[in-house]
Amino acid sequence: MASSGGDDQVPPGGPLTFSTRVIDAGSTIMQRRLPVKQMNCHVSTFAIYGSDMSRQIETHHYVHRVSDEFLQCAVYASDRSDAPLIGIEYVISDRLYESLPQDEQKLWHSHAYEVKSGSWAYPRLPEVVAAPELKNMAKTYGKFWCTWQIDRGDKLPMGAPELMMSPQGAGQGVLRPELVKKRDEKYNISTDELKHKRAEIAEPEWINPMADYWKQHGKCFVLDIMTVEMNRNAQFP
């Protein structure tokens, strides 16, 4: 039976040995690990498989703010110390999104509904502290590739990455209530209450119709892996 999320996922392989613990301890003391230390924010939210929108998962984003207009997130299945790393999401401002070619814009999703509905939450962070960030996030777009489909029971990352969609207020984008309820009980929050508190967050003046492509066109994008001849002299622009 497929796993419903990351909380019951058992990491593959045997337990850590003494020698690997020594290496890890030494690395912690002697190495700088600067990129990892920039992940200062934890977001609890949800994602939907673009190729099969009946599959919805809880996700945990650990956010590195590269600039005010660009975030990069390591996405985990839970907030446990042994949580599987299941993907990566890039988040950009509306200004940067509008600069992308249309074929690229099709791969991104909007965040306005996700934020205003309360789906996008900052565990243990008071809403009043998160308010300025929420106003900015409502105007952003994200591109999320899932590399480990643990919800179907995969014990290791298998196959091609899947492009993920954000929750929406209609059709196949509506989240299952039991999925939201489980998250809310874990963090002692209420998604409905967050939605009420965020009612005054301004809607973006315009959400580009190339984003959330499935809503407008009823189609998704998938990757296929195939064997091709190697081109050792490929020319790139």
Side-chain angles (χ1 to χ4, degrees):
M1 180 178 179
S3 169
S4 61
D7 289 339
D8 56 356
Q9 183 78 3
V10 178
L16 294 178
T17 64
F18 176 75
S19 61
T20 54
R21 290 183 184 277
V22 169
I23 293 172
D24 289 347
S27 299
T28 299
I29 296 171
M30 303 177 69
Q31 295 185 324
R32 301 176 71 187
R33 298 171 294 124
L34 295 180
V36 177
K37 290 182 178 180
Q38 304 311 306
M39 295 180 184
N40 294 319
C41 181
H42 170 211
V43 174
S44 169
T45 186
F46 306 93
I48 305 171
Y49 286 87
S51 63
D52 180 0
M53 298 190 72
S54 68
R55 294 171 62 192
Q56 305 177 353
I57 58 173
E58 178 183 340
T59 62
H60 295 264
H61 292 51
Y62 288 85
V63 183
H64 171 191
R65 190 187 308 278
V66 180
S67 73
D68 280 347
E69 295 189 78
F70 177 56
L71 313 178
Q72 53 189 21
C73 313
V75 184
Y76 290 83
S78 75
D79 63 354
R80 293 182 359 180
S81 61
D82 60 353
L85 175 65
I86 63 170
I88 186 166
E89 178 165 359
Y90 299 102
V91 178
I92 59 176
S93 67
D94 52 353
R95 186 185 72 85
L96 292 179
Y97 179 82
E98 294 300 333
S99 71
L100 299 175
Q102 278 199 352
D103 283 346
E104 174 64 24
Q105 290 178 340
K106 296 174 182 178
L107 305 179
W108 297 69
H109 58 262
S110 65
H111 285 137
Y113 178 82
E114 190 173 356
V115 169
K116 286 183 64 65
S117 69
S119 302
W120 183 280
Y122 297 92
R124 306 178 185 91
L125 188 68
E127 188 75 356
V128 66
V129 177
E133 178 74 350
L134 290 165
K135 293 177 181 178
N136 291 329
M137 285 303 305
K139 301 174 184 178
T140 63
Y141 295 84
K143 182 167 70 170
F144 175 7
W145 290 104
C146 177
T147 56
W148 189 349
Q149 301 180 51
I150 66 165
D151 65 299
R152 68 181 183 185
D154 291 2
K155 298 301 182 184
L156 290 169
M158 305 285 286
E162 285 268 354
L163 187 65
M164 307 298 280
M165 303 294 101
S166 61
Q168 299 293 331
Q172 298 179 84
V174 176
L175 292 172
R176 297 193 306 274
E178 64 271 19
L179 188 66
V180 178
K181 182 174 184 289
K182 180 181 178 183
R183 190 278 300 268
D184 287 2
E185 290 177 347
K186 183 189 324 183
Y187 293 117
N188 192 30
I189 62 176
S190 167
T191 294
D192 287 340
E193 185 176 327
L194 292 179
K195 178 180 179 180
H196 177 73
K197 290 180 177 179
R198 297 174 185 179
E200 295 184 0
I201 293 179
E203 293 274 2
E205 294 182 5
W206 187 63
I207 296 177
N208 192 305
M210 287 295 103
D212 311 312
Y213 194 78
W214 66 270
K215 289 176 65 178
Q216 306 292 335
H217 306 277
K219 296 181 179 180
C220 67
F221 300 94
V222 297
L223 297 184
D224 192 15
I225 297 176
M226 62 182 68
T227 302
V228 298
E229 293 296 325
M230 295 178 64
N231 185 350
R232 300 181 183 276
N233 300 302
Q235 298 297 314
F236 298 97

